[in-house]
Amino acid sequence: MKVSKEYQKSLKNGVVTKEMLSEAIYAYNKRAKNMRDKAREYRRTRFYTNYDYYGDYCDKRDDYYKRKEELLSYLKPQCVHIVERETWDGDCFDEYFIFYDLGKHSFHTPIGNPKDYPDLPIEDIGDLETYGEDIEDLMSVQTADKIRNGLADGSLTLVLEETNNIEKTK
């Protein structure tokens, strides 16, 4: 995905908009899911190669998720989602996620205990299935990193029209 003139102008002016932040988080998230899927695929076919691609895919997945979490730290979650999962032998268990909604894109982050978020409403959403995406349709890692690093070092400022759920800076 080519950086739009609007994004370029905002970055030149030291500004990150809600849309830009959302696209950067989305780019990291979908790349992480692509790596997750590659790791799963490799684990099923690992007998056909001598090199451990599984570890590489897992490392890349974890790195993209870490970057996603860094950007999500500028936001306040809307609620906790409960997702029912089933094990290979048919047992069911619940997983918990904090949920962020940025309009065009929404994001989940796994958590251990919903009681750690007493101020958030809890919603049972049943199932949650996620997919990767073609990287040609995503913001480049370089642009997402520029946003992430700029927010972290203060050279970029998060400016949003809806300030009720987003902090301006960390």
Side-chain angles (χ1 to χ4, degrees):
M1 168 190 218
K2 187 175 178 188
V3 180
S4 72
K5 291 195 184 298
E6 181 182 319
Y7 285 11
Q8 290 174 3
K9 183 179 176 182
S10 291
L11 289 171
K12 186 176 179 179
N13 291 326
V15 171
V16 175
T17 66
K18 178 180 177 180
E19 181 182 351
M20 293 167 66
L21 183 68
S22 178
E23 290 297 331
I25 297 168
Y26 187 74
Y28 289 141
N29 193 45
K30 291 303 179 180
R31 282 182 170 84
K33 296 201 184 316
N34 288 343
M35 293 299 111
R36 174 203 65 192
D37 295 344
K38 288 279 194 185
R40 287 176 182 169
E41 178 185 324
Y42 175 74
R43 195 168 53 195
R44 287 192 295 270
T45 62
R46 67 181 172 265
F47 303 109
Y48 301 111
T49 181
N50 291 330
Y51 185 75
D52 179 26
Y53 291 104
Y54 178 78
D56 289 349
Y57 292 135
C58 290
D59 289 346
K60 289 177 184 177
R61 175 201 62 203
D62 294 346
D63 182 54
Y64 284 130
Y65 278 137
K66 179 180 171 245
R67 295 178 199 193
K68 169 193 165 189
E69 293 304 317
E70 285 178 44
L71 290 181
L72 284 173
S73 72
Y74 293 96
L75 306 171
K76 292 183 182 178
Q78 278 74 32
C79 63
V80 173
H81 279 170
I82 301 172
V83 175
E84 188 175 300
R85 300 287 193 199
E86 189 173 327
T87 63
W88 62 272
D89 60 354
D91 291 336
C92 291
F93 64 97
D94 289 336
E95 279 188 313
Y96 303 97
F97 298 84
I98 48 177
F99 176 70
Y100 302 85
D101 187 358
L102 290 171
K104 182 178 176 185
H105 302 297
S106 59
F107 305 97
H108 287 92
T109 296
I111 59 171
N113 188 345
K115 292 179 181 175
D116 293 339
Y117 301 87
D119 298 333
L120 294 179
I122 298 176
E123 299 175 8
D124 188 336
I125 63 168
D127 194 17
L128 175 65
E129 196 167 339
T130 59
Y131 304 95
E133 189 167 315
D134 186 337
I135 62 170
E136 296 297 321
D137 299 330
L138 302 173
M139 176 184 280
S140 72
V141 172
Q142 292 81 4
T143 303
D145 282 347
K146 184 173 187 168
I147 290 169
R148 183 176 56 87
N149 293 332
L151 289 172
D153 69 19
S155 63
L156 295 175
T157 302
L158 188 56
V159 177
L160 304 151
E161 50 288 326
E162 297 176 16
T163 58
N164 61 338
N165 68 344
I166 299 179
E167 298 171 11
K168 188 170 180 181
T169 59
K170 241 182 170 178

